[in-house]
Amino acid sequence: MITNAILKINPNAKVVIRGSDLDTCTIEWLDGTAEISKADIQAKIDATKYQRDRVYPKIGEQLDMQYKDLLNGTTTWKDAIAKVKSDNPKE
């Protein structure tokens, strides 16, 4: 997640990240890569998450799909979620 955010900001960045939590990790910038602030990295992570989250159907709609799928033996909800995931893959 941290590496992906950095590469979205600077696709040519060369970094070594130690740790998985942005607040406590250490980032080593290699080969003259300009340092990106942790605040900017967090902003990119948040923007990416927001973009992905808002494409899912609202929770009420999802529950309605699931209920109707149970009644009708259909896969509407599963298909809708699969489409969101394929159109918006995690990086």
Side-chain angles (χ1 to χ4, degrees):
M1 178 169 47
I2 298 169
T3 303
N4 291 334
I6 290 170
L7 292 175
K8 283 185 180 205
I9 296 168
N10 177 0
N12 299 313
K14 304 260 192 266
V15 297
V16 173
I17 300 169
R18 292 178 186 87
S20 59
D21 180 71
L22 183 60
D23 293 328
T24 59
C25 75
T26 58
I27 303 171
E28 184 179 348
W29 303 93
L30 306 173
D31 298 336
T33 299
E35 184 173 334
I36 301 168
S37 73
K38 287 187 176 182
D40 287 344
I41 296 168
Q42 185 63 57
K44 182 56 78 174
I45 291 169
D46 293 344
T48 303
K49 182 182 182 319
Y50 172 74
Q51 180 182 15
R52 181 176 161 84
D53 287 349
R54 68 176 202 232
V55 296
Y56 282 99
K58 293 183 179 184
I59 193 69
E61 294 170 12
Q62 290 187 46
L63 291 170
D64 191 47
M65 284 182 215
Q66 289 176 345
Y67 177 72
K68 289 177 181 176
D69 284 346
L70 284 171
L71 290 177
N72 303 321
T74 56
T75 60
T76 307
W77 176 80
K78 182 178 148 187
D79 298 341
I81 299 305
K83 179 160 178 31
V84 170
K85 289 184 177 290
S86 69
D87 290 350
N88 303 279
K90 286 185 179 179
E91 299 177 13

